[in-house]
Amino acid sequence: MIPIGLIQRRDMTISGPHDLTLTAADGYQLAASHFPGSGEQFMVLAGATAVARRYYQRFASYAASQGVDVITVDYRGIGGSRRGRLRDLDADLSHWCTLDLGAAVGWAAARGPSYLVGHSLGGQAIGRLPDPGLLQAAYTCGTGAAWTGWMPRREALRVRLMWDVVAPLSTAAMGYLPMNAFGMGEDIPRGAYQQWRRWGRLPRYFFDDPSQAAMTARFADVRLPIAAMVVTDDLWAPPRSRDAFFSGYSNASVDRIDLAPTELGVPKVGHMGYFHSDVGAALWPRILSWLAVHGLRTERSRIN
């Protein structure tokens, strides 16, 4: 098994990550980190809603140790990209997916063949990028339609309570959704919460929103290979939810992968466990191996 920790490669010394600033198409300054690999190929780590880039640094370090340059980015209003009062920020999921991830993909693609690993929202964003054709392939973890009808009953009730009672009241009071106060990640702008809530009421998420027809039509232009992997104990993105969402990638080659936690050597994974080190010991080599089939060159493939 490939070791998880940062390793010394035979032909180069791998340095640690360094921070940089990306500029989105509308001029917004985004905090990002670059994990140097071989300098020949690049991976964009597209994070989940309300999750700062620091959460993904262990996977990014692992991929860099295998020769892949990785860039992580904080969406506007999140982590290092939060500036000023969040209640004053006009930002939603569309800004994150198109402008912010678009800046990260553009940065990577300008430097070499590029791939994407997406967590939850990150997999939903592929069809919303300014040019998905800049990517060679993508691997997504825990991406689904976010409709409570796909969730187990107890989780669905909990999420509906959040959407219909707690979140509206707290957002009205604060001017943003205070996710951190609920132990659910970073606070998010009001606009992001409003879109998330509206689309979460629909079985196929934004594909079922008539007002988004122009945006969703662009998903037919996505033709890159995609792995859509979920772990079977992911309450937010079980296999049926994943299948409902990825039906929108009508012309992409989508490899639907279901894994049980026991296959990864752990008792549970859930929606946030994909990038934990104990899960990564078995999962992360699978991710790179799948991407290698679609052109990614890892340190293992170089040696073999």
Side-chain angles (χ1 to χ4, degrees):
M1 181 175 293
I2 303 174
I4 293 302
L6 197 61
I7 64 172
Q8 187 88 2
R9 292 178 54 203
R10 296 182 303 172
D11 59 338
M12 64 178 288
T13 299
I14 297 179
S15 62
H18 59 267
D19 294 337
L20 65 155
T21 301
L22 302 179
T23 302
D26 65 346
Y28 196 96
Q29 301 288 295
L30 302 164
S33 295
H34 172 217
F35 295 74
S38 67
E40 300 173 5
Q41 56 197 338
F42 294 81
M43 176 187 294
V44 175
L45 200 300
T49 300
V51 181
R53 75 188 194 279
R54 63 181 178 272
Y55 182 75
Y56 301 102
Q57 63 185 8
R58 288 166 295 188
F59 172 77
S61 295
Y62 164 70
S65 78
Q66 296 304 303
V68 185
D69 284 65
V70 182
I71 182 170
T72 60
V73 61
D74 283 333
Y75 305 127
R76 63 190 65 195
I78 302 295
S81 297
R82 179 172 176 172
R83 299 181 182 87
R85 299 198 310 170
L86 192 58
R87 67 183 303 141
D88 297 331
L89 179 62
D90 180 15
D92 56 26
L93 303 182
S94 301
H95 291 93
W96 291 355
C97 294
T98 303
L99 295 173
D100 300 352
L101 275 178
V105 170
W107 183 94
R111 289 162 173 78
S114 298
Y115 300 79
L116 182 143
V117 171
H119 180 204
S120 192
L121 172 75
Q124 296 170 346
I126 298 168
R128 308 187 70 176
L129 293 170
D131 185 2
L134 293 176
L135 298 171
Q136 308 299 308
Y139 195 108
T140 70
C141 304
T143 295
W147 180 49
T148 56
W150 301 124
M151 300 176 184
R153 179 175 174 80
R154 179 175 295 182
E155 184 68 7
L157 291 174
R158 189 182 74 86
V159 173
R160 287 173 189 148
L161 177 64
M162 174 72 177
W163 283 151
D164 298 336
V165 180
V166 178
L169 292 174
S170 58
T171 303
M174 303 292 291
Y176 59 88
L177 181 59
M179 297 283 283
N180 185 261
F182 309 139
M184 297 178 66
E186 300 279 317
D187 301 335
I188 64 173
R190 181 199 303 267
Y193 153 67
Q194 290 172 336
Q195 283 188 331
W196 192 12
R197 181 190 181 201
R198 181 171 72 251
W199 293 335
R201 296 172 180 272
L202 305 172
R204 295 176 66 243
Y205 206 54
F206 48 60
F207 291 109
D208 284 344
D209 184 349
S211 71
Q212 299 298 309
M215 180 269 287
T216 57
R218 297 183 58 243
F219 277 69
D221 297 331
V222 178
R223 299 180 184 276
L224 67 151
I226 300 173
M229 187 275 291
V230 296
V231 175
T232 53
D233 71 335
D234 186 336
L235 303 183
W236 277 63
R240 291 193 306 159
S241 176
R242 182 268 321 276
D243 293 345
F245 183 81
F246 277 94
S247 65
Y249 285 95
S250 56
N251 290 316
S253 173
V254 180
D255 185 7
R256 292 168 172 80
I257 302 169
D258 300 347
L259 294 175
T262 53
E263 294 180 80
L264 300 174
V266 295
K268 62 181 181 179
V269 177
H271 191 59
M272 294 303 298
Y274 298 95
F275 296 92
H276 292 175
S277 294
D278 57 346
V279 176
L283 176 59
W284 299 348
R286 290 178 185 236
I287 293 174
L288 295 194
S289 293
W290 188 94
L291 290 172
V293 173
H294 300 283
L296 183 73
R297 297 182 64 211
T298 64
E299 185 63 11
R300 169 178 278 187
S301 67
R302 293 168 194 269
I303 294 173
N304 293 339

